[in-house]
């Protein structure tokens, strides 16, 4: 990273602002892939915390990450100092520390996290829930690239109660796009953030259907897709559809079917894995945290609230959101809403 004079940047997390003090332009460029970063001084961007990221040897009193990045938190002054001579490790640690402040805000509101992607337009929010390989990313990408929907979440959907009801947001994480899906939308996607060593030309020569069985992927960011992130979206009186998704056998598309016990159907998709894994959910700042039992209790309540304000359907698809949108339009024309169903 190239050095320059010290500058302070504001990082907007939608509900929390972080001040970043650094003298490395490339660190800021890296963070712009994940956050909305603006230039300015502390007075212009009053912040919950200040993060001072420096490319230098950790000081003796600093705690160390497994990658020997030094960090020291000052809760009274609300300052986190991060040191590393490895500039990539410095950037990753800084990104994750910023993420912690978003999580702290959500933890104060007793959030839950779901394996789900999410997209929205001015009137509608669609959550796509499912296990790995169920098409969450493909459907969200299709909606964003071909239908003009805003891409809100990829696989770390956060749900919490705001002042006026349920709110969704997501972790700012890389978006893995499998090679088959990437080549379908290559002309609209541009350059990936990271290609993980994939030989794209070799896959271009394959028959189209053969690409889909390959578990090779390219990494994008919300910024690369032209999408701001994180965005906090109040569900309010929006038309909300939750889709328990999966690919149809032999490429068949099913008619969406309403789920009989929505909260029970959603429960297996609550994320305990990421929330309680310290290797994934890193902790460089003092944070309030619940026990697993408390998290489970709060999650059940949030799922009940979500089920009460949305239609929840099971749907087998082939990677395009169009059939679901057509079905929703038919339901709207017939006067059926999520709030009138038994």
């Amino acid at each position: 990273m190239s050095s320059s004079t010290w500058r302070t940047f504001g990082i907007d997390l939608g509900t929390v602002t972080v001040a970043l003090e650094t003298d490395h332009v490339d660190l800021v460029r890296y963070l712009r892939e994940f956050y909305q970063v603006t230039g300015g001084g502390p007075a212009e961007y009053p912040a919950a915390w200040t993060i001072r990221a420096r490319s230098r040897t950790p000081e003796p009193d600093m705690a160390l990450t497994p990658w020997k990045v030094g960090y020291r938190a000052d809760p009274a002054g609300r300052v986190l100092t991060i040191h590393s001579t490895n500039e990539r490790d410095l950037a990753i640690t800084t990104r994750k520390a910023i993420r912690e402040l978003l999580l702290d805000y959500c933890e104060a509101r007793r959030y839950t996290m779901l394996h789900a992607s999410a997209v929205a337009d001015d009137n509608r929010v669609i959550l796509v829930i499912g296990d790995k390989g169920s098409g969450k990313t493909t459907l969200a990408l299709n909606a964003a690239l071909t239908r003009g929907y805003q891409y809100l979440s990829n696989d770390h959907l956060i749900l919490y109660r705001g002042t006026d009801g349920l709110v969704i947001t997501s972790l700012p994480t890389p978006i893995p796009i499998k090679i088959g899906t990437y080549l379908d939308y290559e002309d609209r996607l541009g350059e990936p953030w990271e290609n993980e060593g994939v030989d794209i030309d070799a896959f271009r020569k394959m028959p189209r259907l053969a690409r889909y069985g390959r578990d090779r992927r390219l990494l994008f960011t919300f910024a690369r897709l032209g999408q701001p992130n994180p965005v906090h979206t109040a569900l309010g009186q929006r038309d909300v559809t939750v889709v328990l998704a999966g690919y149809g056998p032999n490429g068949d598309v099913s008619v969406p079917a309403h789920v009989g016990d929505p909260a029970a159907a959603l429960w297996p998709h609550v994320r305990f894995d990421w929330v309680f894994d310290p290797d994934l959910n890193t902790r460089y700042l003092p944070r309030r945290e619940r026990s697993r039992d408390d998290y489970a209790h709060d999650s059940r309540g949030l799922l009940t609230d979500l089920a009460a304000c949305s239609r929840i359907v099971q749907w087998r698809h082939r990677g395009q959101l169009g059939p679901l949108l057509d079905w929703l339009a038919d339901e709207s024309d017939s006067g059926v809403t999520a709030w009138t169903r038994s």
Side-chain angles (χ1 to χ4, degrees), residues 159-237:
L159 178 68
Y160 65 87
R161 293 185 184 92
T163 55
D164 297 317
L166 294 180
V167 178
I168 59 170
T169 189
S170 76
L171 289 184
T173 58
I175 300 172
I177 298 177
K178 289 186 178 179
I179 185 64
T181 300
Y182 169 77
L183 290 173
D184 285 345
Y185 297 108
E186 183 178 13
D187 59 330
R188 307 184 192 205
L189 284 172
E191 288 295 318
W193 176 62
E194 193 171 301
N195 76 356
E196 296 196 325
V198 176
D199 185 345
I200 298 174
D201 286 335
F203 283 100
R204 284 196 189 100
K205 297 173 184 176
M206 288 184 180
R208 184 167 177 264
L209 293 179
R211 301 168 184 160
Y212 297 129
R214 304 303 180 96
D215 194 20
R216 299 302 305 276
R217 62 188 197 170
L218 307 168
L219 297 181
F220 281 77
T221 60
F222 285 95
R224 297 262 166 157
L225 299 177
Q227 303 285 329
N229 192 262
V231 174
H232 298 253
T233 302
L235 299 186
Q237 291 302 306

Side-chain angles (χ1 to χ4, degrees), residues 59-251:
E59 296 172 353
D61 65 335
M62 288 181 158
L64 295 177
T65 73
W67 298 273
K68 308 302 181 185
V69 178
Y71 63 96
R72 180 177 58 239
D74 172 13
R78 302 186 75 79
V79 174
L80 176 69
T81 303
I82 304 174
H83 288 181
S84 178
T85 55
N86 183 308
E87 292 168 353
R88 179 175 175 81
D89 290 343
L90 177 69
I92 292 171
T93 303
T94 303
R95 169 172 67 86
K96 292 182 177 181
I98 293 167
R99 184 177 69 190
E100 284 194 66
L101 292 168
L102 172 64
L103 284 170
D104 192 51
Y105 175 89
C106 297
E107 177 65 19
R109 287 148 185 82
R110 306 182 76 85
Y111 78 98
T112 191
M113 184 183 290
L114 299 172
H115 278 288
S117 65
V119 295
D121 64 10
D122 291 340
N123 302 308
R124 173 174 287 149
V125 176
I126 298 175
L127 312 185
V128 183
I129 294 180
D131 297 327
K132 181 180 179 180
S134 61
K136 297 186 297 294
T137 299
T138 300
L139 287 174
L141 194 65
N142 175 261
L145 296 179
T146 70
R147 301 275 179 164
Y149 275 69
Q150 186 173 19
Y151 202 152
L152 299 176
S153 172
N154 185 59
D155 192 30
H156 299 78
L157 181 77
I158 292 171
L159 178 68
Y160 65 87
R161 293 185 184 92
T163 55
D164 297 317
L166 294 180
V167 178
I168 59 170
T169 189
S170 76
L171 289 184
T173 58
I175 300 172
I177 298 177
K178 289 186 178 179
I179 185 64
T181 300
Y182 169 77
L183 290 173
D184 285 345
Y185 297 108
E186 183 178 13
D187 59 330
R188 307 184 192 205
L189 284 172
E191 288 295 318
W193 176 62
E194 193 171 301
N195 76 356
E196 296 196 325
V198 176
D199 185 345
I200 298 174
D201 286 335
F203 283 100
R204 284 196 189 100
K205 297 173 184 176
M206 288 184 180
R208 184 167 177 264
L209 293 179
R211 301 168 184 160
Y212 297 129
R214 304 303 180 96
D215 194 20
R216 299 302 305 276
R217 62 188 197 170
L218 307 168
L219 297 181
F220 281 77
T221 60
F222 285 95
R224 297 262 166 157
L225 299 177
Q227 303 285 329
N229 192 262
V231 174
H232 298 253
T233 302
L235 299 186
Q237 291 302 306
R238 292 191 186 213
D239 186 85
V240 182
T241 300
V242 180
V243 183
L244 295 162
Y247 282 101
N250 303 315

Side-chain angles (χ1 to χ4, degrees), residues 39-54:
E44 186 178 355
Y45 297 103
W49 274 73
T50 296
I51 295 178
R52 295 172 179 161
R54 303 183 181 187

Side-chain angles (χ1 to χ4, degrees), residues 8-13 16-20 38 45-51 97-99 101-102:
T8 299
F9 298 85
I11 299 177
D12 182 5
L13 299 178
V16 178
T17 302
V18 182
L20 171 71
T38 53
Y45 297 103
W49 274 73
T50 296
I51 295 178
I98 293 167
R99 184 177 69 190
L101 292 168
L102 172 64

